[in-house]
């Protein structure tokens, strides 16, 4: 069992940065890895980034490549999403989740979702 607690969301101007945190209450080794999704008002939840445990590989949706970085601190058992050069179209509720099986791009491949944290980017 894993409980995820998110933090780090907020309001930022375009071009600014935010770092989202996702603290896990337990180990996640019985999984493929972890990932981040986002959902804007009136839109479906979409894949943002994922981190595979073994081999250690990161995946990103095209719109955030070069701007976002997913990582994990094993000592703190916390996953991060560093977001740089933010754009208004990045505005959404961001969710972290455990990648249990299947392709990383599908929400059905994940379980143990966090509560979500709001990211708002103003122009």
């Amino acid at each position: 069992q894993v409980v995820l607690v998110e933090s780090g969301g907020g309001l930022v101007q375009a071009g600014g940065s935010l770092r989202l945190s996702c603290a896990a209450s337990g180990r996640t080794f019985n999984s493929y890895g972890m990932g981040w999704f986002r959902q804007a008002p009136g839109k479906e939840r979409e894949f943002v980034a994922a981190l595979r445990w073994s081999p250690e590989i990161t995946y990103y949706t095209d719109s955030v490549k070069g701007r976002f970085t997913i990582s994990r601190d094993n000592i703190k058992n916390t996953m991060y999403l560093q977001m740089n050069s933010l754009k208004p179209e990045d505005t959404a509720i961001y969710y972290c989740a455990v990648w249990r099986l299947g392709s990383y791009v599908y929400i059905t491949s994940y379980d143990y979702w966090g509560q979500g944290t709001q990211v708002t980017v103003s122009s």
Side-chain angles (χ1 to χ4, degrees):
Q1 297 293 322
V2 178
V3 177
L4 306 178
V5 180
E6 298 170 316
S7 61
L11 175 64
V12 65
Q13 292 182 322
S17 299
L18 283 174
R19 187 180 71 168
L20 306 183
S21 299
C22 178
S25 65
R27 297 288 188 176
T28 58
F29 294 143
N30 59 338
S31 63
Y32 286 174
M34 297 184 70
W36 289 93
F37 284 72
R38 66 187 181 187
Q39 186 167 20
K43 297 184 178 181
E44 296 183 350
R45 191 171 301 186
E46 66 174 351
F47 167 76
V48 177
L51 172 62
R52 178 192 281 267
W53 303 142
S54 182
E56 187 172 342
I57 304 174
T58 56
Y59 308 89
Y60 301 92
T61 191
D62 287 343
S63 63
V64 308
K65 289 181 179 178
R67 300 189 298 120
F68 291 11
T69 303
I70 187 172
S71 63
R72 184 171 188 265
D73 186 329
N74 292 329
I75 297 177
K76 296 182 178 180
N77 204 24
T78 300
M79 181 179 65
Y80 302 97
L81 184 67
Q82 179 66 47
M83 305 185 296
N84 298 326
S85 302
L86 283 163
K87 305 174 181 179
E89 50 263 44
D90 295 318
T91 296
I93 301 176
Y94 284 71
Y95 301 88
C96 66
V98 175
W99 178 14
R100 192 65 61 184
L101 78 170
S103 175
Y104 56 82
V105 303
Y106 299 125
I107 62 173
T108 53
S109 300
Y110 296 78
D111 60 10
Y112 297 108
W113 293 84
Q115 79 283 1
T117 185
Q118 177 70 49
V119 172
T120 302
V121 184
S122 64
S123 60

